[in-house]
């Protein structure tokens, strides 16, 4: 299938009067306020001391479960593993009907069909990583074909990677055009743009990449592929949340945020929810606008959920492997 | 449904408060000769916590005599290495008992447990560790070989950081070889009395540390005592002046750390999100009961609206209430007297034409509370831009050029601290050179460290505490004596 994307800047860029030329983008992105590293990390550390107990914890755990993009992105993935993951996504805790389903199952392009089949009739969405994930090092036509095949196979959401090499070299218009093209190839599928913040290194870069992706039409901005360390961190997520908050104020468009990779415990997940709550507020406390890209996190959420309802901790043999 | 945090109260069962407390003199708790007591209350609930002794002239004399004896017979005879052992021991005990001390500080002072636990107590221990390290290295303090202690130090501290101010006073004094008589503030005596217990636990020789509790008269008796060699005072400029007058013409050495009206200066190229945090911690940290608080916000005119909008949004997330709740950001005002002072000055802001704004917040029925408040449209002539409010009240002014920022920032009788927010390094250095303030923070605010000297220009006092300069305030070359 051949896709001919339109390279005209989408609405929000036009709304802000930002052209898609290299000069325009550079001027705009470099006019954004800087991020003070020490201050951003101190803010996150302070919020990390919030004590979330009892009813607040129960609320946070269920919300976090509903926000999970249950992910498997291994070379060794099999149709059987994806089928099992889908069953778990629909009903995470077989012993407790009240445990909610997760938001989505996230797989590679070739397993989208399997996931679609096993999630039929459920609300759980299928997300596919595309655009030569995880490195993004392929020609635009290959990356677009990767995207359109995933959409054709039934993906509701596309997780694309940006070309970090281009971004770091300052070739912002290349990254912009890539995102615009992939967005066009997505059709009605939601587009999550992975910034791979572990490779961008500085918070200033994270802020600029966030704006670049949003201007180009991202529905979500996502921290990481999970293949690079560090993956998601709280300060990076703070900077991205500030970006979606400011983008909404400037354009009226509301963009989602997805930290992915390295979030393994309920305690971690709750810290992210506190960060969302106190940075952008209630509006983002929904699976439509905030996701966790994770695999092992779900089991810890389920264990903590069981502990809250039964009063005792059951242990890893009481949740399913995958 | 929104994400409401359930109550997360810290347990107060870690402290047992007696019904009344004596004075700590010569290693023991003793009844006051005055026979007088006053009540200390929890400002968040107005519950009476304990009765505290009110020391009179006789009590103060006993304490100074004990300190003199300990100085002559014991403390001045010990080597620096031996003094260090005691200080390290005290530092470790503070760490071990930090939960208990944090709870007690919050109960008696009204500050949020989060701040007592994460700011006050770690800094208290750090000060003792830092000065413990100096005790056997006084030859390298900068006064040449064999600098000598001054003798007996009279120390009077405020109620905003009770135990932290105690550590700023006692740690360098003991490291340098002095003995001390310390008077905590009338409304916050409890942690100082707990510290007395820690001194006993550390087997500190009797009389090296003496704690006399009481009000202004006790303080006066202490600083005017004839056998005191050094006075260290932190508190209001008004009291500081009286002390300076009383010490004039005597051989007493004096350091004063007084009021402030700091400018927190936001340039248009500042890291805005972190600057907002800096404004918040600058003025709302510890309910604004901070002498170096960033109480005057100077915003470059072209980002005024943007900064104010972001600040107001941020202030709606501040959580005011029970100081013992681990999620509380703003606790209680320390006393009804202080609440009255804040209210009076803020009302002057209204009547002088400044525009008041506060986020929606419910104030508890009992105790002393004041909502986070921002005044815009403030000019240099307004009282709220000139007088120290010592509460959660921010006055916002604007400037257009760096020169105007400097001029406005310096146009105050005080000079304790200032803040600069810009991503431009050269501007930070240029501004810092021109600001007449003892501490200048760049892209941060209200950060403290035992290695960093702290003190004021002009009516904010003289002398430095912290770091090597803080040590020198308790030492003399042999020649001076």
């Amino acid at each position: 299938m051949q896709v001919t994307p339109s390279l005209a800047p989408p609405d929000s860029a036009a709304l802000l009067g930002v052209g898609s030329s290299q000069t325009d983008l550079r001027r705009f992105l470099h006019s954004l306020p800087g991020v003070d590293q020490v201050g951003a990390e101190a803010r996150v550390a302070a919020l990390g001391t919030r004590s979330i107990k009892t009813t607040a914890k129960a609320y946070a755990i269920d919300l976090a479960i509903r926000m999970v993009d249950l992910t498997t992105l291994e070379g060794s993935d099999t149709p059987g593993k994806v089928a099992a993951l889908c069953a778990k996504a629909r009903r995470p805790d077989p012993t407790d009907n009240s445990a909610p389903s997760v938001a989505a199952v996230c797989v590679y392009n070739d397993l989208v069909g399997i996931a679609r089949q096993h999630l039929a009739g459920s609300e759980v969405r299928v997300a596919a990583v595309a655009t030569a994930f995880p490195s993004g090092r392929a020609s635009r036509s290959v990356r677009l074909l990767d995207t359109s095949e995933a959409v054709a196979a039934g993906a509701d959401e596309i997780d694309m990677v940006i070309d970090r090499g281009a971004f770091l070299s300052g070739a912002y218009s290349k990254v912009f055009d890539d995102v615009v093209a992939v967005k066009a190839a997505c059709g009605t599928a939601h587009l999550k743009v992975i910034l791979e913040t572990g490779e961008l290194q500085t918070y200033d870069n994270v802020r600029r990449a966030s704006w670049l992706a949003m201007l180009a039409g991202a529905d979500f901005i996502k921290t990481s592929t999970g293949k690079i360390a560090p993956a998601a961190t709280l300060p990076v997520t703070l900077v991205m949340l500030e970006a979606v908050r400011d983008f909404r104020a400037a354009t009226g468009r509301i963009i989602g945020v997805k930290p992915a990779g390295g979030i393994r415990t309920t305690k971690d997940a709750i810290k992210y929810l506190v960060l969302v709550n106190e940075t952008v507020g209630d509006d983002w406390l929904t699976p439509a606008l905030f996701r966790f890209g994770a695999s092992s996190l779900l089991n810890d959420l389920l264990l903590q959920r069981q502990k809250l309802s039964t009063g005792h901790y059951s242990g890893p043999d009481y949740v399913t492997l995958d | 449904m929104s994400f409401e945090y359930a109550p997360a109260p810290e347990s107060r069962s870690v402290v047992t408060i007696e019904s009344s407390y004596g004075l700590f003199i010569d290693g023991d708790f003793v009844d006051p000769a005055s026979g007088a007591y006053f009540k200390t209350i929890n400002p968040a609930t107005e519950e009476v916590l304990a009765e505290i002794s009110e020391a009179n002239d006789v009590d103060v004399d006993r304490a100074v005599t004990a300190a003199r004896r300990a100085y002559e017979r014991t403390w001045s005879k010990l080597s620096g290495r031996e003094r260090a052992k005691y200080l390290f021991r005290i530092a470790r005990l503070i760490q071990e008992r930090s939960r208990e001390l944090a709870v007690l500080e919050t109960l008696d002072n009204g500050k949020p447990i989060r701040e007592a636990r994460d700011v006050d107590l770690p800094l208290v221990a750090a000060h003792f560790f830092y000065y413990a390290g100096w005790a056997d290295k006084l030859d390298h303090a900068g006064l040449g070989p064999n600098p000598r202690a001054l003798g007996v130090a009279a120390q009077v501290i405020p109620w905003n950081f009770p135990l932290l101010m105690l550590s700023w006073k006692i740690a360098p004094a003991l490291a340098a070889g002095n003995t001390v008589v310390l008077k905590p503030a009338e409304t916050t005596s409890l942690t100082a009395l707990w510290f007395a217990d820690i001194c006993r636990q550390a087997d500190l020789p009797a009389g090296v540390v003496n704690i006399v509790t009481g009000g202004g008269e006790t303080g006066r008796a202490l600083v005017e005592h004839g056998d005191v060699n050094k006075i260290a005072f932190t508190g209001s400029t008004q009291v500081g002046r009286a002390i300076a007058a009383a010490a004039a013409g005597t051989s007493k050495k004096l350091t004063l750390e007084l009021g402030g009206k700091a400018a927190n200066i936001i340039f248009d190229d500042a890291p805005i999100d972190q600057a907002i945090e800096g404004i918040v911690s600058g003025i709302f940290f510890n309910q604004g009961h901070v002498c170096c608080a960033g109480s005057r916000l100077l915003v470059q005119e072209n980002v005024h609206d943007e900064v104010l909008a972001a600040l107001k949004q941020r202030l709606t997330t501040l959580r005011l209430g029970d100081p013992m709740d681990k999620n509380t950001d703003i606790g209680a005002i320390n006393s009804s007297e202080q609440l009255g002072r804040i209210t009076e000055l803020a009302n002057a802001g209204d009547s002088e034409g400044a525009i008041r704004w506060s986020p929606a917040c419910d104030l508890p029925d009992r105790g002393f509370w004041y909502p986070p408040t921002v005044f815009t449209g403030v000019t240099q002539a307004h009282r709220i831009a000139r007088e120290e409010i010592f509460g959660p009240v921010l006055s916002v002014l604007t400037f257009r050029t760096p020169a105007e920022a400097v001029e406005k920032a310096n146009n105050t009788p005080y000079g304790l601290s200032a803040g600069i927010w810009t991503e431009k390094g050269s501007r930070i250095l240029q501004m810092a050179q021109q600001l007449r303030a003892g501490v200048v923070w760049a892209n941060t605010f209200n950060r403290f460290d035992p290695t960093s000297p702290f003190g004021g220009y002009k009516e904010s006092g003289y002398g430095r505490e912290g770091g090597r300069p803080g040590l020198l305030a308790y030492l003399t070359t042999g020649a001076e004596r």
Side-chain angles (χ1 to χ4, degrees):
Chain A
M1 196 174 80
Q2 193 61 46
V3 179
T4 327
S6 142
L7 286 184
D11 290 345
S12 25
L15 196 69
L16 289 170
V18 184
S20 61
S21 77
Q22 179 63 24
T23 317
D24 290 345
L25 286 169
R26 187 188 154 79
R27 186 179 298 140
F28 178 79
L29 296 176
H30 286 257
S31 74
L32 294 168
V35 184
D36 185 79
Q37 181 184 342
V38 173
E41 289 170 3
R43 169 69 174 149
V44 162
L47 284 178
T49 69
R50 289 291 192 225
S51 179
I52 305 301
K53 302 287 183 206
T54 61
T55 52
K57 189 172 183 182
Y59 171 81
I61 288 175
D62 277 13
L63 181 60
I65 293 174
R66 289 167 51 223
M67 288 173 164
V68 167
D69 280 4
L70 199 55
T71 302
T72 183
L73 295 170
E74 301 301 328
S76 56
D77 284 347
T78 60
K81 184 176 180 191
V82 171
L85 206 65
C86 291
K88 180 154 183 161
R90 295 172 80 138
R91 196 170 168 198
D93 188 345
T95 66
D96 185 352
N97 274 333
S98 69
S101 304
V102 306
V105 166
C106 183
V107 293
Y108 271 116
N109 181 328
D110 61 324
L111 292 164
V112 169
I114 305 287
R116 182 79 277 159
Q117 182 191 332
H118 289 278
L119 290 172
S122 80
E123 305 251 301
V124 180
R125 295 159 70 91
V126 179
V129 294
T131 71
F133 181 95
S135 69
R137 301 213 77 98
S139 68
R140 187 177 294 164
S141 57
V142 169
R143 300 176 71 197
L144 289 177
L145 189 61
D146 193 9
T147 306
S148 49
E149 279 190 358
V151 173
D156 303 302
E157 303 174 353
I158 297 294
D159 289 24
M160 75 168 286
V161 289
I162 63 165
D163 180 343
R164 283 86 74 186
F167 179 88
L168 290 170
S169 73
Y172 298 134
S173 63
K174 166 146 193 338
V175 178
F176 183 88
D177 292 346
D178 281 349
V179 176
V180 170
V182 173
K183 173 69 180 166
C186 282
T188 56
H190 267 230
L191 176 62
K192 304 194 197 102
V193 178
I194 302 171
L195 310 179
E196 196 64 299
T197 54
E199 290 187 342
L200 301 186
Q201 301 272 338
T202 68
Y203 297 133
D204 286 333
N205 277 343
V206 172
R207 173 166 284 174
R208 288 173 191 150
S210 299
W211 275 86
L212 184 58
M214 293 188 294
L215 288 170
D219 298 301
F220 253 80
I221 47 177
K222 174 175 169 183
T223 60
S224 324
T225 60
K227 305 293 183 191
I228 295 284
T233 67
L234 285 159
V236 154
T237 307
L238 171 69
V239 171
M240 290 167 66
L241 286 166
E242 288 164 353
V244 297
R245 178 198 65 199
D246 296 345
F247 188 75
R248 183 201 203 177
T251 67
R253 272 189 70 211
I254 185 160
I255 308 292
V257 176
K258 176 177 171 183
I263 306 164
R264 294 192 180 84
T265 64
T266 301
K267 207 171 179 176
D268 287 342
I270 289 177
K271 284 185 182 179
Y272 279 91
L273 294 180
V274 164
L275 195 63
V276 174
N277 191 38
E278 302 204 25
T279 309
V280 290
D282 273 359
D283 290 351
W284 268 267
L285 285 172
T286 156
L289 290 169
F290 196 78
R291 297 279 181 84
F292 291 108
S295 41
S296 58
L297 169 64
L298 181 59
N299 273 351
D300 193 61
L301 287 166
L302 294 172
L303 285 172
Q304 294 297 332
R305 194 175 189 279
Q306 288 171 1
K307 175 163 185 294
L308 271 186
S309 59
T310 64
H312 61 267
Y313 189 73
S314 51
D317 288 346
Y318 292 83
V319 286
T320 57
L321 272 179
D322 50 31
Chain B
M1 188 180 159
S2 62
F3 191 9
E4 300 287 347
Y5 303 162
E10 176 67 62
S11 167
R12 62 181 284 182
S13 64
V14 288
V15 292
T16 310
I17 303 174
E18 308 286 337
S19 59
S20 81
Y21 287 91
L23 306 165
F24 185 69
I25 295 174
D26 211 12
D28 270 313
F29 280 99
V30 296
D31 293 334
S34 69
Y37 291 85
F38 60 95
K39 293 179 169 58
T40 191
I41 65 168
N42 177 346
T45 60
E46 299 178 55
E47 161 206 8
V48 174
L49 294 171
E51 296 211 317
I52 306 290
S53 301
E54 183 164 9
N56 64 9
D57 297 9
V58 178
D59 296 309
V60 166
D61 185 58
R62 280 163 69 196
V64 173
T65 306
R68 173 63 56 196
R69 192 164 52 235
Y71 176 72
E72 304 289 353
R73 292 188 190 164
T74 321
W75 201 241
S76 64
K77 304 276 194 289
L78 287 183
S79 66
R81 194 170 53 181
E82 290 303 312
R83 290 199 306 274
K85 282 185 191 171
Y86 287 106
L87 287 167
F88 278 121
R89 200 180 292 164
I90 289 171
R92 286 194 299 270
L93 285 166
I94 288 168
Q95 284 186 318
E96 282 166 20
R97 296 179 67 175
S98 64
R99 180 141 174 252
E100 179 188 349
L101 291 164
V103 166
L104 195 66
E105 198 78 303
T106 289
L107 288 174
D108 204 16
N109 170 279
K111 66 173 67 204
I113 185 72
R114 180 170 68 82
E115 288 178 3
R117 178 194 69 196
D118 296 346
V119 182
D120 292 49
L121 264 298
L123 280 172
V124 171
H127 268 272
F128 276 98
F129 277 117
Y130 174 75
Y131 281 111
W134 266 116
D136 62 352
K137 303 173 190 72
L138 299 182
D139 286 354
H140 307 282
L143 293 177
N146 297 318
R148 294 166 59 182
L150 301 173
V152 175
Q155 307 179 318
V156 177
I157 58 171
W159 46 260
N160 56 344
F161 296 94
L163 197 58
L164 181 58
M165 290 301 104
L166 175 149
S167 72
W168 284 27
K169 297 283 182 284
I170 292 184
L174 297 195
N178 304 272
T179 58
V180 306
V181 180
L182 177 130
K183 188 196 86 68
E186 193 173 3
T187 58
T188 54
S189 307
L190 287 180
T191 44
L193 296 168
W194 252 248
F195 179 79
D197 186 50
I198 285 175
C199 292
R200 289 204 299 197
Q201 211 182 335
D203 285 327
L204 188 72
V208 172
V209 168
N210 303 274
I211 309 284
V212 291
T213 48
E217 283 308 307
T218 309
R220 183 199 306 273
L222 177 56
V223 299
E224 291 181 359
H225 194 286
D227 200 26
V228 157
N229 305 100
K230 154 85 188 178
I231 301 170
F233 171 77
T234 298
S236 72
T237 295
Q238 187 192 351
V239 175
R241 265 201 203 97
I243 291 175
T250 72
S251 63
K252 294 172 189 174
K253 272 191 135 189
L254 177 61
T255 45
L256 298 172
E257 200 264 89
L258 309 174
K261 192 73 192 175
N264 201 0
I265 305 166
I266 316 285
F267 285 96
D268 61 3
D269 62 353
I272 296 291
D273 289 302
Q274 287 71 48
I276 298 295
E277 293 307 317
I279 298 167
V280 171
S281 66
I283 185 63
F284 300 116
F285 171 60
N286 205 35
Q287 297 74 246
H289 299 332
V290 185
C291 44
C292 51
S295 51
R296 283 186 299 151
L297 179 64
L298 297 184
V299 189
Q300 197 156 11
E301 196 179 27
N302 58 351
V303 288
H304 173 270
D305 293 354
E306 182 191 337
V307 167
L308 261 288
L311 177 63
K312 287 177 179 179
Q313 177 57 39
R314 172 69 176 85
L315 295 186
T316 61
T317 67
L318 284 180
R319 305 171 64 85
L320 178 146
D322 179 9
M324 289 290 279
D325 190 303
K326 293 178 211 162
N327 293 327
T328 291
D329 299 317
I330 308 265
I333 302 302
N334 181 252
S335 63
S336 75
E337 188 192 4
Q338 185 59 27
L339 179 59
R341 209 170 293 149
I342 295 167
T343 309
E344 194 264 321
L345 268 167
N347 290 347
D350 291 327
S351 59
E352 289 181 337
I355 301 152
R356 180 198 287 255
W357 182 89
S358 285
C361 67
D362 296 326
L363 301 184
D365 298 332
R366 292 187 63 78
F368 316 121
W369 305 89
Y370 203 83
T373 300
V374 176
F375 277 104
T376 49
V378 180
T379 73
Q380 288 286 106
H382 287 154
R383 281 183 71 199
I384 52 171
R386 306 207 65 78
E387 296 179 31
E388 185 179 37
I389 300 176
F390 221 65
V393 180
L394 179 67
S395 302
V396 183
L397 298 92
T398 59
F399 68 92
R400 290 182 173 180
T401 62
E404 187 185 352
V406 168
E407 196 178 21
K408 283 186 167 168
N410 286 341
N411 180 219
T412 166
Y414 295 112
L416 193 51
S417 68
I420 306 165
W421 294 83
T422 171
E423 290 264 285
K424 189 167 179 171
S426 59
R427 183 178 292 142
I428 292 172
L429 298 175
Q430 190 217 14
M431 291 289 294
Q433 279 184 333
Q434 298 177 74
L435 290 169
R436 282 182 292 153
V439 179
V440 179
W441 282 293
N443 293 333
T444 189
F445 210 93
N446 273 345
R447 285 291 195 103
F448 306 95
D449 190 279
T451 63
S452 172
F454 183 93
Y457 279 49
K458 301 187 276 183
E459 289 188 25
S460 289
Y462 42 79
R464 293 291 179 267
E465 293 183 304
R468 194 176 59 83
L471 194 66
L472 299 183
Y474 289 94
L475 285 173
T476 177
T477 61
E480 280 178 47
R481 301 200 72 200

